[in-house]
Amino acid sequence: MTIAISKIDARRLIQKLLNAPIAPGRDSYFINAGTEPIIDALDQNYFRGDLAEGIGCFKYLEGDYGSGKTQFINSLAQRASENDVVTALVTVGAECPFNSPAAIFRAIMESFQPPADADTGDAKGIEILIDSWVSTRIRQLGAEPGDDVPDLVQRQIEEQLGGLWKGAPDTQMASALTALSKRLLKTNCGATEAVADSELISWIRGDNVRSTGLKALGLFEPVRDDNAFRRLKTVIAFLRTRMAYRGFLIAFDEGTRTSSFRRGSAKQKQAIENLLTMINQNAEGEFGGVMFLYAATPDFRSEVISTYRALQDRIGTVAFSRGSPLVPLINIEEANSENVIFQIGDRLLAVFAKAYDIEWDEGLQKSNMKAVVEAQKDRLFETPKPRFFVYQYCRFLNNQREAQRAISNEQASDFVNDNEPPLEGEDA
């Protein structure tokens, strides 16, 4: 098979996969398989539909460690981005303990990424998102960022950004966003960046900063747990109404469950309350055009969510299917099979071929792939999870680059036993 990936991107993807046994970020969709029907349904109903109308939703993604939750999130984010939907992918853990609304807010602010057509690389953050919009808008009006932007273009953009926002959920955040947007317009038109700019960005991101410059803008109150969700609503509304971003995907990935709290503890209860607040207020239209997604392992639902009736009711027990594509629960385990593993393998063969100009002996490599998978099944007593397969198969293909050779079942078994992936939470 062939994949629409450049040689440079293919090499970068391979290096990511060889360096760490995790989903390779924005490049994940190149090797994604098995979950296309789910992504297609979410794309059609939300990215091309409800989100643009200001209708939000909540999705709960469930799967064992290594089943491909992070891979799915990144692939979904790529599809969202292609439809001009802003994304923010947050890893729940030490840096973002879910019991703190302020921590959730800060994590989202630093994770925002512009849609796919923006020339920002892997840069993230609320300021990157706004700056991308400003530079794109300048070009849409027939100019190029720099010293020669006509005054007329600047005025048109300033008018679109607007002035005082009456009725904002959080007036200080509304003032800060307006000030930053106009300041970034100036720097895109040749003005020099100033210390005050970085202070303003830090304040908007949720850092506890104070200065005379911020005070002059009326910004004196840092983000706290009691104002964090109001500020998030303000950010979403500003980006939607003044910059015409059509929707938002905000995904929380529990990863290795480092964020887990003692069952029944005050911190755990607060984390559940925070999740419920986002679900309920989004359903009532208070965020507007946001898909909140939370990903966790099955034990979180069986051991934690089952004890919180309100959250259990909002997730339900019926998982996504072709007959019920809009339910909140997505069980990624149901998308995994031996056939999906072989599809992922075919994609990896294509990526390696592109990266290193390899002409694979397809018959030989298909036989090798089958031998590797059979050895993994013997080792695991089940079909390998995507993470396990990808970790070992990338190393196998890397060994085949210089000289393709068939391997026996015994050699496949030795290879699998000698290339054990790191345990959960370990580095590669």
Side-chain angles (χ1 to χ4, degrees):
M1 69 180 299
T2 58
I3 292 180
I5 187 173
S6 70
K7 186 172 185 177
I8 292 175
D9 286 344
R11 287 201 175 191
R12 185 178 69 240
L13 172 56
I14 289 169
Q15 289 306 311
K16 287 180 180 178
L17 293 171
L18 290 174
N19 288 334
I22 57 176
R26 281 189 138 181
D27 296 323
S28 294
Y29 73 100
F30 286 117
I31 59 169
N32 192 58
T35 58
E36 290 91 343
I38 304 174
I39 292 175
D40 287 344
L42 296 177
D43 180 358
Q44 187 64 40
N45 289 282
Y46 297 107
F47 302 153
R48 300 170 189 257
D50 285 359
L51 299 189
E53 302 299 323
I55 302 172
C57 67
F58 169 70
K59 301 296 174 184
Y60 182 83
L61 178 66
E62 182 174 277
D64 281 326
Y65 177 68
S67 61
K69 294 188 300 298
T70 304
Q71 168 78 10
F72 175 86
I73 290 171
N74 279 288
S75 299
L76 181 64
Q78 176 63 28
R79 187 73 68 86
S81 186
E82 291 171 358
N83 284 283
D84 203 31
V85 171
V86 173
T87 61
L89 311 186
V90 175
T91 299
V92 177
E95 297 298 318
C96 178
F98 214 76
N99 68 306
S100 168
I104 294 170
F105 174 84
R106 283 191 289 267
I108 294 172
M109 290 303 102
E110 69 181 26
S111 301
F112 273 132
Q113 280 192 291
D117 58 354
D119 186 20
T120 58
D122 292 328
K124 302 177 183 179
I126 182 65
E127 74 281 7
I128 302 298
L129 184 58
I130 295 174
D131 186 69
S132 170
W133 179 85
V134 170
S135 60
T136 298
R137 193 75 187 103
I138 289 173
R139 293 188 176 95
Q140 289 173 343
L141 293 172
E144 282 294 322
D147 296 335
D148 298 325
V149 178
D151 290 341
L152 178 60
V153 169
Q154 295 186 51
R155 286 197 299 273
Q156 284 181 275
I157 296 176
E158 284 180 347
E159 289 175 3
Q160 185 171 350
L161 291 171
L164 181 65
W165 178 5
K166 295 181 179 180
D170 186 277
T171 55
Q172 288 187 56
M173 180 56 73
S175 297
L177 292 169
T178 302
L180 177 61
S181 301
K182 291 184 176 180
R183 184 60 196 155
L184 290 175
L185 174 59
K186 293 297 183 185
T187 56
N188 270 275
C189 295
T192 303
E193 294 181 9
V195 173
D197 298 340
S198 60
E199 292 176 346
L200 181 55
I201 291 169
S202 293
W203 188 93
I204 291 174
R205 275 184 170 231
D207 297 336
N208 190 3
V209 293
R210 301 175 188 272
S211 71
T212 55
L214 292 173
K215 191 174 181 180
L217 291 172
L219 312 180
F220 53 85
E221 197 172 72
V223 67
R224 301 188 307 267
D225 284 345
D226 63 352
N227 65 22
F229 287 144
R230 290 201 311 273
R231 291 200 170 171
L232 180 57
K233 293 174 194 175
T234 305
V235 172
I236 295 297
F238 183 92
L239 295 172
R240 183 178 180 81
T241 59
R242 303 206 178 187
M243 296 185 171
Y245 281 119
R246 59 184 283 122
F248 305 84
L249 166 63
I250 300 178
F252 302 99
D253 186 357
E254 276 211 356
T256 59
R257 294 295 312 278
T258 55
S259 66
S260 298
F261 302 117
R262 183 172 55 83
R263 184 173 179 177
S265 67
K267 288 184 176 180
Q268 186 187 84
K269 290 178 181 178
Q270 185 58 57
I272 297 299
E273 285 300 319
N274 291 339
L275 187 54
L276 278 169
T277 295
M278 285 188 286
I279 295 171
N280 293 339
Q281 294 183 0
N282 196 33
E284 293 166 1
E286 293 189 36
F287 285 95
V290 177
M291 175 188 288
F292 283 121
L293 182 150
Y294 196 94
T297 49
D299 57 308
F300 183 65
R301 187 158 63 101
S302 62
E303 296 177 8
V304 179
I305 292 176
S306 62
T307 65
Y308 294 91
R309 179 62 183 272
L311 183 55
Q312 188 176 21
D313 288 346
R314 283 155 181 77
I315 293 173
T317 58
V318 177
F320 170 94
S321 68
R322 293 184 186 275
S324 54
L326 302 184
V327 297
L329 177 60
I330 299 171
N331 187 342
I332 203 168
E333 295 288 342
E334 297 177 358
N336 286 327
S337 66
E338 187 170 321
N339 182 52
V340 167
I341 293 299
F342 285 126
Q343 289 179 41
I344 295 173
D346 288 341
R347 289 176 179 271
L348 288 171
L349 278 167
V351 171
F352 269 84
K354 186 72 172 185
Y356 301 109
D357 297 319
I358 302 171
E359 290 189 16
W360 294 115
D361 181 328
E362 289 198 18
L364 182 149
Q365 292 303 338
K366 294 277 186 168
S367 178
N368 284 346
M369 188 194 306
K370 185 175 181 181
V372 170
V373 172
E374 288 299 320
Q376 290 177 330
K377 288 167 63 178
D378 290 342
R379 175 86 168 79
L380 301 169
F381 304 106
E382 65 176 358
T383 299
K385 295 284 193 294
R387 174 189 179 276
F388 190 96
F389 171 73
V390 170
Y391 179 86
Q392 293 192 333
Y393 193 55
C394 281
R395 280 156 177 74
F396 178 80
L397 291 182
N398 208 41
N399 293 340
Q400 290 275 312
R401 278 171 48 196
E402 299 303 325
Q404 299 186 57
R405 52 192 178 276
I407 60 169
S408 65
N409 291 337
E410 183 179 355
Q411 288 172 319
S413 181
D414 289 342
F415 178 84
V416 167
N417 290 329
D418 291 342
N419 288 272
E420 185 75 11
L423 296 174
E424 180 178 354
E426 288 185 348
D427 293 331

